[in-house]
Amino acid sequence: MKPVEPDLSQISEGMSRLNARLSPQSLAPLLAQLRERAPLVQCLTNSVVTNFTANVLLAAGAAPAMVDVPGEAGPFARIAGAVLLNLGTPHAEQREAMVEAAEAATDAGTPWVLDPVAIGTLAVRTGLARKLVEMRPTVIRGNPSEIKALAGMGSGGRGTDSTDSPDSAAEAGRHLALGYGAVVAISGPVDLITDGHQEVRLDNGHPYLTRVTGGGCALGALIAAFASLDGEVFSAVTAACGFYAVAAELAAAGATGPGSFQSAFLDRLHSTGPAQFGEGLRLL
Amino acid sequence: MKPVEPDLSQISEGMSRLNARLSPQSLAPLLAQLRERAPLVQCLTNSVVTNFTANVLLAAGAAPAMVDVPGEAGPFARIAGAVLLNLGTPHAEQREAMVEAAEAATDAGTPWVLDPVAIGTLAVRTGLARKLVEMRPTVIRGNPSEIKALAGMGSGGRGTDSTDSPDSAAEAGRHLALGYGAVVAISGPVDLITDGHQEVRLDNGHPYLTRVTGGGCALGALIAAFASLDGEVFSAVTAACGFYAVAAELAAAGATGPGSFQSAFLDRLHSTGPAQFGEGLRLL
Amino acid sequence: MKPVEPDLSQISEGMSRLNARLSPQSLAPLLAQLRERAPLVQCLTNSVVTNFTANVLLAAGAAPAMVDVPGEAGPFARIAGAVLLNLGTPHAEQREAMVEAAEAATDAGTPWVLDPVAIGTLAVRTGLARKLVEMRPTVIRGNPSEIKALAGMGSGGRGTDSTDSPDSAAEAGRHLALGYGAVVAISGPVDLITDGHQEVRLDNGHPYLTRVTGGGCALGALIAAFASLDGEVFSAVTAACGFYAVAAELAAAGATGPGSFQSAFLDRLHSTGPAQFGEGLRLL
């Protein structure tokens, strides 16, 4: 395995990063397309969130398939609409299946998402994340400390919890984006999405998402679902993050705690249409 | 492992398959018996649905036990009321435990259910399913594409998703039933249950069951629970499928999406009694 | 591995075991402290309850981290606030990680909880439990049959289900407490907590907790969270069991079954404050 050496030649001090010219009107149709196509999303994810992740995909209109056994993961990545690799509980067999899936997805042109959960101080997943990022994921999603750790700019946080603001990881995100050709989504109170050239911030969401386990992990799967659609990956990632956060806001309005929120959130992922999504979206 | 060679000598072109002479009145008492006995159901199932499966069993009145470690799976299958083998995420250790459990269950006379999730194109699980079906499961449950793939009459679908109608797999189901001495339950908008000689169709259920992950997988576990009761397996399987679908209908009536449905479904599995079950059941 | 030889020299026939001088007023502040600190709880737990366990911790105000991979489990146990080892589905890699975590936790002074799920007749977990208990867990939590089996005074029950009353395992609990220097929590309609010298009984809870899978397992994680706080472990364990049971009572009041209960339970774990906890607590 080579050390991480992002190609940073494209970054210069004075470089101006344009705000992406996205609008609610340009993103909302992607939700309609998602429901029309019901893309098959292969998830190799952690044991804590498999159920919630599958339910999020089903509620939103995609089709989950948790194929993470060596010998199956690769062949399936060739026929899936998109693949998610989430490093939350990376047992030996799953690690092998992840590398197999990343290779097959890359070879077949299947978009794939890397979610480097809790990397930094934890050796097994950090080594795996470095190997996988070299294989050039289509999208990288993480919280600020994970993004900084993956870029070699920090030591990681304490699990999926992160108190840093996404903007604190903006420079790390741009490095990853330019170095590996990925769209990078940094989750937090304000989400930041960057491809190194253009950026967008999302002022949606609700703290209840941090009181339900898998709030970030399931977003990674939804990003994969949107990344399978027509159009630019940058728009797809923004639409996924935005739709997820708008549904969370709508769900939180009637919830009395994280239990009722989780139930209402799945309902809203199912019932929120393109128009309501567009109306609720706040791009910065 | 021998190749799959169902004994088809009992099938002939002109054979008439009788509709089973089952009635709501004959099936409802099985639900009362389930609650009286609280059968212990050993589940070796996929990582996505373990929690939901256990909650379905508990809500309905059975007792789940997810014993799927080699060295424990076999001994436990001897004392369990019934066993479920679900191939959704067949990791190496679990595959070993499944063969151990099937052997012990067969030897001890414990009824066992095979759910060949997403077999067809996926090599690992397809090989395992062929091995397990040779061991003559008491019940086989699947969607139409899985049943066709297991019978060697199709290439499988895309995961647990299936758009084929159960009747499209009726012939495959009869082959499996007669070849291996199993009752076969084919899930879909109308469920079809066959033992090769008699058949019944169930016109109950709700599409929300396909928007909650594990909707089919948990049914496999409930079928195992009913199969542990007194009487014919064919009646038990029909009662399990019918009760599950009636509870889903009742739950869907007050739900606003798949999240609230899931919660209401567990409530209804718990609160629906034999009388309400019998009233709601629509046998075709 | 040495055989289990609890040091029973401290137990004598006539020994009087004092009721602990705990009061709702002395325990309620621990809940406030939990929310202030949000302790990081490392869970090595079974595949059925990972999601629910993490959601219980998040709702209550702690931070879950399911780090159970060899090579990571040990180092993480050094920095975690507390560790839970739950033997519900002890696959080979997790068994290795558990021993690693117990060693590191002991070495680093991190409190850890052992939950010997369904030990007795199941060989793999029973052997592992004997090995782990020798490493002197801070807390042992189980149902009566598990506590008796761990103390060598019974053959275990049928899974997590247990019909014995906690008092039937009181003597076994005292043996374990004195032999290994642990606080022992025995779950049931009335919870019993003992350290061999002092005891307390809790008359809170609701039967719905036995109709939701992981009702006991998630309590083990919450006990770990409280054990990370300042003060005596005995008080911490009592506060954890009491808070959990009071929240269950409040949730059950508005539930129509186990599904709506589960949702309301997470809401109540989140919304119940120290004052309401103290008011609801019934110490015997």
Side-chain angles (χ1 to χ4, degrees):
Chain A
M1 199 185 102
K2 295 182 305 173
V4 183
E5 290 176 17
D7 170 11
L8 303 179
S9 60
Q10 295 174 73
I11 296 188
S12 69
E13 277 300 313
M15 174 182 165
S16 68
R17 277 168 219 95
L18 295 175
N19 278 340
R21 274 157 299 186
L22 300 177
S23 67
Q25 290 71 33
S26 70
L27 297 177
L30 287 170
L31 178 57
Q33 201 187 121
L34 180 86
R35 288 181 175 150
E36 205 179 292
R37 297 213 187 154
L40 187 57
V41 182
Q42 180 184 7
C43 300
L44 297 91
T45 191
N46 72 73
S47 59
V48 188
V49 305
T50 45
N51 185 271
F52 183 61
T53 299
N55 278 334
V56 162
L57 289 174
L58 284 169
M66 268 61 181
V67 180
D68 68 349
V69 173
E72 294 188 346
F76 200 78
R78 296 182 176 278
I79 59 169
V83 178
L84 166 70
L85 305 185
N86 174 301
L87 307 191
T89 53
H91 288 263
E93 243 183 312
Q94 205 187 45
R95 293 199 298 274
E96 186 186 337
M98 283 183 178
V99 173
E100 189 182 302
E103 281 171 355
T106 301
D107 186 58
T110 308
W112 61 285
V113 177
L114 173 63
D115 191 335
V117 179
I119 64 160
T121 53
L122 296 169
V124 175
R125 67 191 69 200
T126 304
L128 179 60
R130 294 214 187 291
K131 182 170 186 172
L132 290 171
V133 79
E134 297 274 338
M135 299 170 77
R136 303 180 72 86
T138 316
V139 184
I140 300 166
R141 189 215 75 85
N143 65 31
S145 62
E146 292 158 352
I147 296 299
K148 283 189 275 192
L150 191 61
M153 294 176 167
S155 60
R158 40 173 242 167
T160 58
D161 196 20
S162 179
T163 47
D164 298 339
S165 88
D167 267 298
S168 75
E171 204 55 38
R174 288 169 206 141
H175 270 67
L176 289 172
L178 293 172
Y180 299 107
V183 173
V184 177
I186 311 173
S187 298
V190 171
D191 291 335
L192 171 61
I193 296 127
T194 179
D195 66 3
H197 303 289
Q198 56 184 335
E199 291 180 4
V200 67
R201 283 169 182 74
L202 285 165
D203 187 25
N204 290 97
H206 193 277
Y208 276 148
L209 272 179
T210 67
R211 293 285 108 193
V212 172
T213 196
C217 298
L219 173 57
L222 194 66
I223 288 173
F226 275 83
S228 75
L229 305 176
D230 294 339
E232 288 183 13
V233 175
F234 186 82
S235 298
V237 175
T238 307
C241 294
F243 171 58
Y244 196 77
V246 166
E249 283 177 12
L250 294 168
T256 56
S260 52
F261 168 74
Q262 183 170 2
S263 180
F265 182 49
L266 293 173
D267 282 4
R268 289 295 189 166
L269 287 170
H270 186 70
S271 66
T272 302
Q276 195 173 19
F277 162 40
E279 283 161 25
L281 195 60
R282 290 190 298 279
L283 301 169
L284 301 183
Chain B
M1 197 184 104
K2 295 184 305 174
V4 183
E5 290 176 18
D7 170 11
L8 302 180
S9 60
Q10 295 176 73
I11 297 189
S12 68
E13 278 300 314
M15 172 183 166
S16 68
R17 278 170 219 93
L18 293 174
N19 279 340
R21 275 157 298 186
L22 300 178
S23 67
Q25 290 71 32
S26 70
L27 297 176
L30 287 170
L31 177 58
Q33 200 188 123
L34 179 85
R35 288 183 176 148
E36 205 179 292
R37 298 213 188 155
L40 187 57
V41 182
Q42 181 183 6
C43 301
L44 297 90
T45 191
N46 72 73
S47 59
V48 188
V49 305
T50 44
N51 185 271
F52 183 61
T53 299
N55 278 333
V56 162
L57 288 175
L58 283 169
M66 268 60 181
V67 180
D68 67 349
V69 173
E72 293 188 346
F76 200 79
R78 295 181 176 278
I79 60 169
V83 179
L84 166 70
L85 304 185
N86 173 300
L87 308 192
T89 52
H91 287 264
E93 241 182 314
Q94 206 188 43
R95 294 199 297 274
E96 187 186 336
M98 284 182 177
V99 173
E100 190 183 301
E103 280 171 355
T106 301
D107 186 58
T110 308
W112 61 285
V113 177
L114 174 63
D115 190 336
V117 178
I119 63 160
T121 53
L122 296 168
V124 175
R125 67 192 68 200
T126 304
L128 179 60
R130 295 216 186 289
K131 182 170 186 172
L132 290 171
V133 79
E134 296 275 338
M135 299 170 76
R136 303 181 71 86
T138 316
V139 184
I140 300 167
R141 189 215 76 84
N143 65 32
S145 62
E146 292 158 352
I147 295 301
K148 284 190 274 192
L150 191 61
M153 294 176 166
S155 60
R158 41 173 242 168
T160 57
D161 195 21
S162 179
T163 46
D164 297 339
S165 89
D167 267 298
S168 74
E171 203 55 38
R174 288 169 204 139
H175 271 66
L176 289 172
L178 293 171
Y180 299 106
V183 173
V184 176
I186 312 173
S187 299
V190 171
D191 290 336
L192 171 63
I193 295 126
T194 180
D195 66 3
H197 303 288
Q198 55 185 335
E199 292 180 2
V200 67
R201 283 168 183 73
L202 285 164
D203 186 25
N204 290 97
H206 193 277
Y208 275 148
L209 272 180
T210 67
R211 295 284 107 194
V212 171
T213 196
C217 298
L219 172 57
L222 194 66
I223 287 173
F226 275 83
S228 74
L229 304 177
D230 293 340
E232 288 183 14
V233 176
F234 185 82
S235 298
V237 175
T238 306
C241 295
F243 172 57
Y244 197 77
V246 166
E249 283 177 12
L250 294 168
T256 56
S260 52
F261 168 75
Q262 182 171 1
S263 181
F265 182 49
L266 293 173
D267 282 4
R268 290 295 189 167
L269 287 170
H270 186 70
S271 66
T272 302
Q276 195 173 17
F277 162 40
E279 283 162 24
L281 194 60
R282 291 189 297 279
L283 300 169
L284 301 183
Chain C
M1 198 184 104
K2 295 183 304 173
V4 183
E5 291 176 17
D7 169 11
L8 302 180
S9 60
Q10 296 175 73
I11 297 188
S12 68
E13 278 300 313
M15 174 182 165
S16 68
R17 278 170 219 95
L18 294 174
N19 278 340
R21 276 157 298 186
L22 300 177
S23 68
Q25 291 71 33
S26 70
L27 297 177
L30 288 170
L31 178 58
Q33 201 188 123
L34 180 86
R35 286 179 178 152
E36 206 180 291
R37 297 213 188 153
L40 188 56
V41 182
Q42 180 184 6
C43 301
L44 297 91
T45 191
N46 73 72
S47 59
V48 188
V49 304
T50 45
N51 185 271
F52 183 60
T53 299
N55 278 333
V56 162
L57 288 174
L58 284 169
M66 268 62 181
V67 180
D68 67 349
V69 173
E72 294 188 346
F76 200 78
R78 295 181 177 278
I79 60 169
V83 179
L84 166 70
L85 304 185
N86 173 302
L87 307 191
T89 53
H91 287 263
E93 241 182 314
Q94 206 188 43
R95 294 199 298 273
E96 185 186 337
M98 283 183 179
V99 173
E100 189 183 302
E103 281 172 354
T106 301
D107 186 58
T110 308
W112 60 285
V113 177
L114 174 63
D115 191 336
V117 179
I119 63 160
T121 53
L122 296 167
V124 175
R125 66 191 69 200
T126 304
L128 179 60
R130 295 215 186 288
K131 181 170 186 172
L132 290 171
V133 79
E134 297 274 340
M135 300 170 76
R136 302 179 71 88
T138 316
V139 184
I140 300 167
R141 190 216 75 84
N143 65 31
S145 62
E146 292 157 353
I147 296 299
K148 283 189 275 191
L150 190 61
M153 295 176 167
S155 60
R158 41 172 242 168
T160 58
D161 195 20
S162 178
T163 47
D164 298 339
S165 89
D167 267 298
S168 74
E171 204 53 40
R174 287 169 205 140
H175 270 67
L176 289 172
L178 293 171
Y180 299 107
V183 174
V184 177
I186 312 173
S187 299
V190 170
D191 290 336
L192 171 63
I193 296 126
T194 179
D195 65 3
H197 304 288
Q198 55 184 334
E199 291 180 3
V200 68
R201 284 170 182 72
L202 286 165
D203 186 25
N204 288 98
H206 193 277
Y208 276 149
L209 272 179
T210 66
R211 293 285 109 194
V212 171
T213 195
C217 298
L219 172 57
L222 194 66
I223 288 172
F226 274 82
S228 75
L229 305 177
D230 293 340
E232 288 183 13
V233 176
F234 186 82
S235 299
V237 174
T238 306
C241 295
F243 171 57
Y244 196 77
V246 167
E249 284 177 12
L250 293 167
T256 55
S260 52
F261 168 75
Q262 182 171 2
S263 181
F265 182 50
L266 293 173
D267 282 3
R268 289 294 189 165
L269 286 170
H270 186 69
S271 66
T272 302
Q276 195 173 17
F277 161 41
E279 283 162 25
L281 195 60
R282 290 189 297 280
L283 300 169
L284 301 182

